[in-house]
Amino acid sequence: MNQILENIKSRRSIRAFTDEPIDPVDLDRILEAGLWAPSARGLQTWQFTVLTDRTRISELAVAIAEQLQRDPSRYTMYEPTALILASNDRENHNGMLDCSCALQNMFLAAHSLGLGSVWINQLRGICDEAGIRPILDSLGIPPNHLVWGMAALGHPAGPAPEPPPRKGVVHYVK
Ligand SMILES: Cc1cc2nc3c(=O)[nH]c(=O)nc-3n(C[C@H](O)[C@H](O)[C@H](O)COP(=O)(O)O)c2cc1C
């Protein structure tokens, strides 16, 4: 099997990370993979906002937990060493889809570099809440943007989980 197909199949969502920071060169590579994702009409109206300060990541997790009335001691976004917030112009009807393509590119790039990643989904419905938007402002996320997904990244703290079985729904029409 070629390396790209092998990388796609062996990637798993990783939900525990060591304290070791990600090499900035590797982080740049991951972000570049996001920038090379397809986007509808090639608009690329997205922004990838990168946090590497764990205190900031933790503050964001606490704000999300409070907004969603979750237990902040349990909702930590898995304490990654880096977090990428993929946002897009709210007027772009394909903004979520474009960000999804970019996030998957970044997950695969991270895996190819020996790093772990997982999608964090809880921000997308609450970006404009009073407890959240000022934080997004402070991170430099444009006010016309919605965060469609986040990538938690870091060095895996343990082995990857067993792959969940594939539920095959491929249907060839002859
Ligand atoms: C749109 C989307 C949202 C997700 N949200 C979360 C999330 O908020 N937290 C989490 O731990 N995993 C999240 N995941 C990861 C899935 O749980 C994971 O991809 C799935 O269980 C399959 O496992 P695998 O990625 O190891 O193949 C999300 C995945 C997708 C595609």
Side-chain angles (χ1 to χ4, degrees):
M1 203 186 306
N2 76 42
Q3 283 183 328
I4 291 176
L5 295 178
E6 186 57 45
N7 192 56
I8 288 170
K9 286 186 75 174
S10 59
R11 180 211 55 82
R12 294 277 68 78
S13 293
I14 299 298
R15 298 184 174 88
F17 305 103
T18 70
D19 294 334
E20 184 185 349
I22 296 176
D23 183 330
V25 174
D26 281 347
L27 197 50
D28 281 346
R29 288 184 176 126
I30 292 167
L31 287 152
E32 196 183 6
L35 291 172
W36 280 96
S39 62
R41 295 165 57 211
L43 289 179
Q44 302 178 54
T45 50
W46 48 38
Q47 175 170 308
F48 308 134
T49 302
V50 188
L51 306 188
T52 53
D53 177 347
R54 267 180 151 175
T55 304
R56 283 204 121 149
I57 294 171
S58 161
E59 284 167 1
L60 178 61
V62 168
I64 294 170
E66 286 175 354
Q67 187 65 47
L68 297 175
Q69 298 179 336
R70 294 205 187 182
D71 178 355
S73 69
R74 297 191 54 181
Y75 183 81
T76 61
M77 303 194 296
Y78 312 112
E79 300 181 87
T81 50
L83 184 76
I84 300 172
L85 294 83
S87 66
N88 217 324
D89 185 342
R90 67 179 78 221
E91 298 298 326
N92 182 342
H93 296 303
N94 294 303
M96 176 171 66
L97 306 175
D98 290 354
C99 280
S100 299
C101 288
L103 282 166
Q104 174 69 346
N105 266 19
M106 292 192 271
F107 295 145
L108 291 173
H111 179 50
S112 77
L113 296 165
L115 297 164
S117 66
V118 63
W119 182 305
I120 303 289
N121 204 33
Q122 286 68 39
L123 200 42
R124 67 190 178 92
I126 58 172
C127 292
D128 290 328
E129 297 295 337
I132 300 292
R133 183 53 73 177
I135 299 175
L136 302 186
D137 292 342
S138 76
L139 300 178
I141 295 175
N144 64 324
H145 272 214
L146 298 174
V147 179
W148 290 116
M150 298 181 278
L153 297 160
H155 291 270
E162 284 297 309
R166 300 293 101 183
K167 300 178 184 172
V169 283
V170 177
H171 174 58
Y172 284 101
V173 177
K174 304 214 169 153

